[in-house]
Amino acid sequence: MTVLDALESGPASLAQLVQITGLARPTAHRLAVALERHRMVTRDSQGRFVLGPRLGELSIATGEDRLLAVANPVLVQLRDLTGESAQLYRRQGDTRVCVAAAERTSGLRDTVPVGSELPMNAGSAAQVLVAWEDSERIRRALRGAHFTTATLSQVRRRRWSQSVGEREQGVASVSAPIAGPGGRVIAAVSVSGPLERLTRSPGRLHAQAVIAAAERISEALHGQEADR
């Protein structure tokens, strides 16, 4: 905790970490490297220690009940508006997890059970969850991915993504980012369904509805934070 507290104010070299914490240099190095293995600490482009992504993931998990309470009714509205199944995804390590869903009630549909773990290398929700990561995590995610750096740049520019047969043949989807307090992307909201209904340009059909749903969830989360 001494090391994490020291990094709260910003990046620190090993020498700075020793100075701030008062720990012996070997001890500070051992603790920082151990924290790095668990992704509680990482390093910036200059090799300095900084707080790691695992802290953000734990923070998101802490607020997940709040996220689900806000998102569930919006997912139902999105399903009813589009006629397609709607999902909410959150990143967990190297996978994305479906944490909430509103399934189309009849006919051919794309079903993603709550709790499903899906890869981060395919699908519109994966694109959204990767697009706003730091450069190192983006670089790692692009290894073997069905999307490219240009794809992620386009996602950031228009704030929605689409995929056609990336995760599963015959399935298309559209996703948009949900921003938590502070503006960090914490989840993705999606609609998905058979290619024969969504076509090869699913964003043309449903991007605006998905963006609006993501914005409603984000605004509700910000409102709850302001009330606390």
Side-chain angles (χ1 to χ4, degrees):
M1 287 305 302
T2 300
V3 172
L4 294 176
D5 286 345
L7 296 177
E8 185 178 1
S9 59
S13 66
L14 179 58
Q16 290 170 324
L17 208 53
V18 169
Q19 183 180 12
I20 295 168
T21 63
L23 295 168
R25 186 182 180 90
T27 302
H29 182 263
R30 176 172 53 81
L31 292 175
V33 170
L35 289 167
E36 186 178 16
R37 283 200 298 270
H38 293 284
R39 300 174 55 245
M40 304 290 281
V41 164
T42 188
R43 305 203 197 200
D44 65 11
S45 59
Q46 300 175 42
R48 296 174 301 180
F49 293 104
V50 296
L51 294 176
R54 184 61 184 147
L55 291 169
E57 293 165 5
L58 291 171
S59 174
I60 292 167
T62 301
E64 186 167 300
D65 286 345
R66 190 154 42 100
L67 173 62
L68 296 184
V70 168
N72 275 315
V74 177
L75 292 179
V76 171
Q77 294 169 0
L78 182 59
R79 176 200 64 193
D80 294 345
L81 178 62
T82 63
E84 303 296 346
S85 297
Q87 303 91 23
L88 181 71
Y89 292 98
R90 191 170 63 80
R91 182 163 190 167
Q92 186 172 298
D94 293 326
T95 64
R96 54 185 168 106
V97 179
C98 179
V99 295
E103 300 292 351
R104 179 185 165 99
T105 55
S106 62
L108 188 61
R109 59 190 181 273
D110 179 42
T111 299
V112 183
V114 172
S116 297
E117 294 187 9
L118 301 177
M120 288 292 293
N121 64 357
S124 62
Q127 295 174 24
V128 164
L129 293 172
V130 169
W132 281 272
E133 291 281 13
D134 62 63
S135 58
E136 175 59 24
R137 294 195 84 183
I138 289 177
R139 187 178 64 79
R140 291 202 304 268
L142 286 172
R143 296 172 187 160
H146 292 262
F147 46 83
T148 66
T149 301
T151 305
L152 298 181
S153 296
Q154 187 177 48
V155 171
R156 288 190 293 271
R157 186 173 65 252
R158 64 189 183 185
R159 297 195 69 81
W160 62 270
S161 62
Q162 65 178 6
S163 69
V164 176
E166 275 189 13
R167 176 176 62 83
E168 185 178 340
Q169 287 296 318
V171 173
S173 66
V174 183
S175 299
I178 294 170
R184 182 172 179 269
V185 172
I186 61 170
V189 62
S190 306
V191 293
S192 62
L195 190 56
E196 62 188 54
R197 278 202 309 268
L198 270 69
T199 76
R200 300 197 69 82
S201 299
R204 189 177 302 166
L205 295 176
H206 299 310
Q208 293 309 309
V210 175
I211 290 170
E215 288 178 346
R216 284 199 298 275
I217 296 171
S218 299
E219 289 167 3
L221 289 173
H222 297 169
Q224 286 186 353
E225 187 69 16
D227 292 339
R228 293 177 66 181

